[in-house]
Amino acid sequence: MSSTADPSRLETAAYRLKSALAALETAVARRIEGDLSHGALNLQLDAAQSDRARLAEELDHSAERIAALEAANRDVAGRLDQTMDAIRSVLATHGA
């Protein structure tokens, strides 16, 4: 009886082949899952970058509005000071 025809060796070889195929299928499934996960992460990254750009633009607009409001506040405060000084002057002149 030749060693290549030995049933136990054939069974062992078949078992090893099945195990190797199962390992290959597992590796392929992991790779596919990893690729899909990588694609999903890229989509999330793109969305985050888009949100960041939008938020940066909104922040710039808000900073401009704050600067304009601060300038208007300074202008109004100056006018109020002038008006109060004028009222004090009139009151002082007319003895009230």
Side-chain angles (χ1 to χ4, degrees):
M1 211 159 123
S2 135
S3 63
T4 57
D6 186 6
S8 64
R9 293 186 111 205
L10 288 175
E11 289 173 1
T12 301
Y15 174 78
R16 289 178 60 202
L17 179 62
K18 286 179 185 179
S19 295
L21 287 173
L24 179 61
E25 287 174 353
T26 300
V28 168
R30 285 184 187 153
R31 176 63 189 254
I32 290 171
E33 183 180 314
D35 288 349
L36 292 176
S37 175
H38 184 69
L41 287 175
N42 281 338
L43 289 175
Q44 289 176 350
L45 179 60
D46 289 344
Q49 287 173 335
S50 177
D51 285 347
R52 184 203 169 281
R54 180 183 52 79
L55 291 171
E57 186 176 331
E58 287 179 16
L59 180 61
D60 289 344
H61 289 299
S62 294
E64 291 170 5
R65 179 143 171 82
I66 287 170
L69 289 171
E70 287 174 343
N73 186 33
R74 283 189 300 274
D75 183 50
V76 168
R79 290 181 185 191
L80 283 172
D81 285 342
Q82 290 174 351
T83 302
M84 288 188 305
D85 288 343
I87 290 171
R88 284 187 191 108
S89 176
V90 168
L91 289 175
T93 303
H94 295 291

